[in-house]
């Protein structure tokens, strides 16, 4: 089962990244007036945070179905009954 929190954060991060990216490129590429520099800087910061949230959500979804590996002690992992003796 997918992690609901990770799915929500990933989707929200993707939507915010797309919206802030559109705000940054709409002026020079789509014929709108160029926004003020402060708003462009804020949109770039929001874009970076949104991409981080998107990546965190994807990572959370990816690791949701995995099980923890057992914590094997190093001494238990060694074989002592081999004919050549202990290591």
């Amino acid at each position: 089962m997918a992690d609901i929190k990770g799915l929500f954060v990933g989707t929200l991060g993707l939507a915010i990244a797309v919206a802030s990216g559109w705000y940054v490129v709409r002026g020079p590429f789509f014929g709108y007036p160029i926004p003020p520099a402060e708003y462009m800087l804020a949109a770039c910061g929001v874009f970076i945070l949104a991409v981080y949230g998107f990546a965190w959500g994807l990572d959370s979804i990816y690791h949701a179905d995995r099980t923890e590996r057992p914590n094997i002690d190093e001494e238990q992992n060694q074989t002592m009954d081999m004919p050549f003796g202990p290591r």
Side-chain angles (χ1 to χ4, degrees), residues 67-73:
T67 58
E68 290 289 326
R69 293 183 67 187
N71 188 7
I72 299 174
D73 192 357

Side-chain angles (χ1 to χ4, degrees):
M1 171 122 191
D3 184 23
I4 300 299
K5 182 176 66 169
L7 184 65
F8 177 73
V9 170
T11 305
L12 186 66
L14 179 63
I16 293 173
V18 167
S20 64
W22 177 81
Y23 182 78
V24 169
V25 300
R26 77 180 176 123
F29 297 108
F30 296 136
Y32 290 97
I34 296 175
E38 296 86 12
Y39 294 155
M40 292 283 280
L41 183 61
C44 289
V46 167
F47 179 79
I48 291 170
L49 291 176
V51 168
Y52 177 76
F54 176 59
W56 182 81
L58 284 182
D59 187 58
S60 178
I61 293 169
Y62 178 71
H63 290 292
D65 293 333
R66 291 186 168 212
T67 58
E68 290 289 326
R69 293 183 67 187
N71 188 7
I72 299 174
D73 192 357
E74 192 63 36
E75 289 182 30
Q76 293 175 344
N77 199 17
Q78 294 183 5
T79 57
M80 300 293 185
D81 297 334
M82 300 301 286
F84 49 81
R87 294 185 204 180

